[in-house]
Amino acid sequence: MGFMSVLSFAHKLTEGRLQPGGRAIDATVGTGADTLFLAKAAGPRGGVYGFDIQPAALALAEERLRLAREEARAALSPVTLLLQSHAAMAEAVPPDWRGTVSAVMFNLGYLPSGDADKTIITEPSSTLAALEAALALLRPGGIITAVLYPGHEGGDREAAAVEAWAAGLPSRQAQAIVYRQLQRASAPYTLAVEKKKEADL
């Protein structure tokens, strides 16, 4: 049967916490795959914000969402796509979202599109700022998932920085796990952070 892919694992963790009517954030829109997944899970009463610094990424995501709505496979939540760094999410989402978000997804690295500039990659400084913002926006019991790509240039530094950030979180605030293939150090892997419920604090 085999293990789930790192992306499928991130989705599995997220779907257990994002219910219809919930709020979610795609911190790195890319081609829009996670954006669409979140919009389906949150449903028409929910809401999704998406961030990317590349216009091409937002265009790809908009087309993916448009096709899904036309095919009417599922009712999607309203989606707001912003041409901004994920580091700006705390200021960009409505103030009443703070402490109410069920899921924030990160898929780091570069835009996986054929003609995209692969030298434009996510950077540790903005990613760590975005992770801090995401944790503040989460509701108790909410989750952050980050798919990390140590195999490309710069990806190993970012992956190490994200791991160090997660490992340094106080256990009373959050718990963190890693899902990875141990035999291939350069293989992508998923890191997840769950915000502790108030009863656990």
Side-chain angles (χ1 to χ4, degrees):
M1 176 174 144
F3 293 118
M4 281 188 280
S5 71
V6 293
L7 293 170
S8 295
F9 186 70
H11 285 190
K12 187 72 174 173
L13 290 174
T14 299
E15 69 186 8
R17 291 160 177 83
L18 178 58
Q19 303 301 319
R23 292 169 168 174
I25 296 171
D26 186 351
T28 50
V29 165
T31 64
D34 289 338
T35 316
L36 177 58
F37 164 76
L38 294 171
K40 285 180 178 177
R45 294 183 296 108
V48 175
Y49 270 78
F51 295 84
D52 210 290
I53 61 168
Q54 297 189 70
L58 299 189
L60 287 168
E62 285 171 353
E63 179 66 6
R64 188 185 290 263
L65 291 166
R66 184 187 67 78
L67 290 172
R69 287 191 176 99
E70 282 184 0
E71 293 171 12
R73 290 175 297 183
L76 305 182
S77 68
V79 176
T80 303
L81 298 176
L82 299 175
L83 187 64
Q84 287 182 262
S85 168
H86 50 200
M89 74 169 71
E91 298 77 33
V93 301
D96 69 346
W97 275 46
R98 187 177 180 89
T100 70
V101 174
S102 295
V104 184
M105 300 190 77
F106 291 75
N107 196 336
L108 300 171
Y110 51 76
L111 178 60
S113 176
D115 53 355
D117 183 351
K118 303 295 193 294
T119 65
I120 300 175
I121 60 173
T122 50
E123 299 286 348
S125 58
S126 59
T127 295
L128 292 178
L131 287 165
E132 285 287 350
L135 191 58
L137 289 167
L138 281 187
R139 64 169 176 79
I143 194 167
I144 297 168
T145 61
V147 178
L148 305 164
Y149 296 87
H152 70 81
E153 189 171 349
D156 53 346
R157 287 187 300 106
E158 183 173 48
V162 171
E163 266 200 62
W165 172 81
L169 291 172
S171 58
R172 68 182 184 279
Q173 181 184 21
Q175 59 181 343
I177 63 168
V178 170
Y179 176 77
R180 72 184 306 170
Q181 183 179 342
L182 295 177
Q183 297 97 328
R184 290 177 55 225
S186 63
Y189 64 101
T190 297
L191 180 147
V193 173
E194 181 184 54
K195 191 170 185 176
K196 285 289 187 76
K197 296 180 180 177
E198 289 167 329
D200 298 333
L201 297 177

